[in-house]
Amino acid sequence: MTDIYDAVIVGGGHNGMAAAGYLSRAGKKVVVVERMDKVGGMTSSGYMIPEAPGYLVTPCAVELLFARGSGIIEDLELKEHGLTTIDPDPSYAYLHPDGQSIALFRDYKRTADDIARIHPGDGKQYLKFMQVMDAMMDIGFPMMMAEPGKPDFRNLTKMIGSAVRNVRLKDQLIAISKATADQVACEWFEHPATIALLNGIAAGAGPVDDDGNAAAYMIFAVTHRLGTGKPVGSLQAFANAMAKSITESGAEIILNAPVAEIVIEDGAAKGVRLSDGRVLRAKVVIATSDPKTTFAMTTPGAVERQLMRRIEHVPSNRSNAAPFLANVAMKAPLALKKHQDMRHDDADLNRAVGLIGLADDVRHSFATARRGDIPERHAVSLSPLSNIDPTQAPAGCSIAYLYLPAMAVDAREGWSPALKDKTMASIIAQVSEYYDGFQHEVGRFVETARERETRLNVSNGCVTHVDFGALRAGTHRPATGFGGPKPAVPGLFLGGAGSHPGGGVSGIAGRIAANRTLRYLKKL
């Protein structure tokens, strides 16, 4: 037993630490319990390749795209606690099989010019497209920042003002917000390279053929406006900066502390029981674990049956398609074979995230994943981590992060070591058509969705905890009755990727949970 905390926070990922940071700065007694031996959760990194101990592996997220606009970096003074970032420009580059490329620069007009080299009409369309995407960001970002069911005056004013300013774009905004990403790419653009660029980026948010998925194209506006933000030392450096910040403001962090039970007594959350038997009493529990895992840990029989069934049916990689991630260590530099030489300008594509795969490869990846099969050709984004930040690999060596947005969660034949090796062989063969260096591989870290589920204790290995969709947004994320200001179980607040605004490294979900907790404690 311990003294009573104001809040115990389950999960030391960036949302959990964000909640702790805001609460501790408000003078509350807060403890964060984390099952792993380091903070970070999905933003953690480490030296995880036995054959290549000097290579820093990033097993999940790699950039601070949304954190750049959320205010968390400034509010928690992360730069003062060691966070430094790099912004390659261009940040992304679509690599066409014929050697041509489209670079995504911070300047969207320069990006439009780059597209126009391949297809003049698409270049002009990109300028019009960005007008709509800028409007979507102006309206959408305040919606992300606002608390569902209780929008604050500042964000509400921003949303209304943006809507009024962009009223002439209303029909286009509605059409895009309801459509599939693939549909929008094909409606707006003609050249296969431009369509592949859009589909390749949108695929990171989920199936490109799901209605409503086209809202992911707001990423273009965010990237142009804010930059991607690659932390020096990987996202573990970001997590470590958060840990330093929140402990300095008074929060406590307990590592190697898996939660066995979220204690519900007299109809309200009263703390947690750790797997070693310790009980941490608290007035509030904030769970940043995924909703299914969270409610599975609640005291048996303490939560209404109907609510438990509702959470059990929350979609997590429901389509059987999930990201497949690999880090490949090489004892030689990583460099593009021909795409860089064919550039007409000084853009350094060797520091950009390379998007590989035609639009048909993106579509086929999701289709085969649903069937439990493995595609012959893949949609891949390759982050040349050590080309951006040389500290992540030994001198003269390199490490690449391979992100495949759609791979079967459960393969038809089962994810045996042989199937993983076969799949990786086909992936390496494909990316080797574009990059030189993979022939000098010295080791790799590869993780299927099921392995991610085991390592991070996240249902179905779902990186966003809950699938994105118009019906799983705002007060309805993760499910009706669980996303509003009033918690389904008194004293138990959700604050991870399974709540508003969803996945992505922003810290907004943690901040919303902290604000709700402050109001709850005030009433107590």
Side-chain angles (χ1 to χ4, degrees):
M1 300 291 292
T2 68
D3 295 334
I4 294 180
Y5 291 93
D6 289 305
V8 57
I9 298 172
V10 180
H14 83 283
N15 273 312
M17 289 192 287
Y22 287 106
L23 288 172
S24 58
R25 277 167 168 72
K28 302 305 178 184
K29 184 178 181 182
V30 183
V31 61
V32 178
V33 291
E34 168 54 49
R35 67 190 292 271
M36 297 200 298
D37 61 359
K38 58 186 173 185
V39 295
M42 288 189 185
T43 58
S44 64
S45 305
Y47 297 92
M48 305 165 71
I49 305 176
E51 306 88 348
Y55 296 77
L56 184 57
V57 169
T58 302
C60 206
V62 295
E63 59 193 25
L64 296 173
L65 182 63
F66 289 100
R68 283 288 184 85
S70 72
I72 186 176
I73 294 174
E74 295 77 17
D75 292 347
L76 301 187
E77 301 174 308
L78 299 186
K79 291 181 180 179
E80 288 75 12
H81 290 88
L83 175 65
T84 57
T85 57
I86 301 171
D87 275 286
D89 191 19
S91 53
Y92 291 87
Y94 168 69
L95 308 176
H96 207 53
D98 65 3
Q100 295 188 89
S101 56
I102 298 175
L104 193 66
F105 296 98
R106 282 292 295 272
D107 183 351
Y108 72 80
K109 293 180 181 177
R110 188 177 177 188
T111 303
D113 290 341
D114 213 43
I115 294 172
R117 288 186 309 105
I118 295 177
H119 192 284
D122 281 359
K124 293 178 182 178
Q125 278 291 92
Y126 192 77
L127 294 174
K128 296 177 182 178
F129 183 69
M130 282 311 304
Q131 288 181 346
V132 181
M133 291 304 103
D134 277 336
M136 182 173 283
M137 180 177 173
D138 287 341
I139 297 170
F141 220 91
M143 289 178 66
M144 288 175 58
M145 298 278 281
E147 179 181 337
K150 190 181 176 62
D152 59 279
F153 180 77
R154 180 183 177 187
N155 283 307
L156 185 60
T157 301
K158 285 183 178 180
M159 282 186 274
I160 295 173
S162 298
V164 171
R165 287 194 307 273
N166 296 290
V167 66
R168 63 187 176 83
L169 300 174
K170 181 186 71 172
D171 291 343
Q172 294 183 68
L173 286 165
I174 292 174
I176 290 176
S177 67
K178 303 295 183 184
T180 71
D182 192 18
Q183 172 191 329
V184 168
C186 294
E187 277 187 21
W188 280 78
F189 302 101
E190 296 183 44
H191 196 280
T194 321
I195 295 171
L197 166 68
L198 267 74
N199 268 346
I201 288 182
V208 295
D209 56 356
D210 276 1
D211 287 335
N213 181 270
Y217 286 137
M218 188 177 78
I219 291 173
F220 280 88
V222 178
T223 302
H224 285 308
R225 201 177 299 184
L226 302 177
T228 54
K230 302 289 199 303
V232 174
S234 79
L235 277 188
Q236 187 65 54
F238 169 68
N240 292 344
M242 292 193 76
K244 290 178 183 178
S245 171
I246 70 171
T247 53
E248 186 177 283
S249 61
E252 181 183 352
I253 300 173
I254 304 177
L255 301 176
N256 297 304
V259 172
E261 180 185 358
I262 295 175
V263 178
I264 310 293
E265 293 177 350
D266 301 323
K270 300 295 185 180
V272 300
R273 178 172 57 83
L274 303 180
S275 60
D276 63 6
R278 284 180 290 172
V279 175
L280 306 180
R281 290 284 178 180
K283 300 172 185 176
V284 167
V285 175
I286 297 176
T288 63
S289 45
D290 78 89
K292 290 184 180 181
T293 299
T294 295
F295 279 86
M297 292 189 295
T298 57
T299 301
V303 179
E304 183 184 342
R305 177 186 176 279
Q306 187 179 42
L307 295 179
M308 291 294 290
R309 298 295 90 78
R310 191 177 299 172
I311 283 292
E312 287 169 7
H313 284 80
V314 163
S316 301
N317 291 333
R318 179 178 282 171
S319 69
N320 198 45
F324 180 92
L325 309 175
N327 282 236
V328 180
M330 294 157 276
K331 60 178 180 180
L334 177 72
L336 284 163
K337 289 181 175 179
K338 59 183 179 181
H339 290 79
Q340 183 64 50
D341 293 339
M342 290 182 64
R343 287 297 299 183
H344 62 291
D345 54 14
D346 61 353
D348 186 0
L349 302 192
N350 282 300
R351 299 178 78 231
V353 176
L355 300 174
I356 298 171
L358 299 170
D360 275 344
D361 295 326
V362 177
R363 298 165 186 141
H364 188 58
S365 293
F366 284 104
T368 54
R370 289 182 179 116
R371 298 194 303 266
D373 296 327
I374 311 300
E376 294 181 3
R377 299 287 295 179
H378 306 277
V380 187
S381 69
L382 185 152
S383 295
L385 297 178
S386 51
N387 289 358
I388 301 168
D389 173 16
T391 68
Q392 298 188 31
C397 302
S398 56
I399 187 163
Y401 167 92
L402 305 179
Y403 178 95
L404 289 83
M407 192 69 74
V409 176
D410 294 308
R412 184 191 300 271
E413 57 190 273
W415 275 111
S416 65
L419 181 59
K420 278 180 64 177
D421 288 344
K422 180 182 177 181
T423 301
M424 277 302 297
S426 67
I427 295 168
I428 295 297
Q430 185 173 338
V431 297
S432 294
E433 297 171 9
Y434 297 79
Y435 288 89
D436 188 48
F438 286 96
Q439 69 271 32
H440 302 291
E441 179 185 338
V442 292
R444 63 179 63 160
F445 173 88
V446 182
E447 189 168 73
T448 65
R450 287 297 176 202
E451 289 169 324
R452 189 181 314 121
E453 178 179 51
T454 300
R455 182 174 66 87
L456 295 175
N457 196 31
V458 56
S459 297
N460 288 343
C462 185
V463 296
T464 58
H465 291 189
V466 176
D467 296 342
F468 280 113
L471 300 180
R472 298 286 174 178
T475 58
H476 300 287
R477 185 173 182 86
T480 301
F482 291 87
K486 184 180 179 180
V489 176
L492 176 56
F493 293 92
L494 303 181
S499 52
H500 176 83
V505 183
S506 71
I508 298 172
R511 181 170 59 206
I512 289 173
N515 289 336
R516 288 174 170 175
T517 295
L518 289 172
R519 292 199 304 270
Y520 184 86
L521 292 174
K522 188 175 182 179
K523 289 181 179 180
L524 288 182

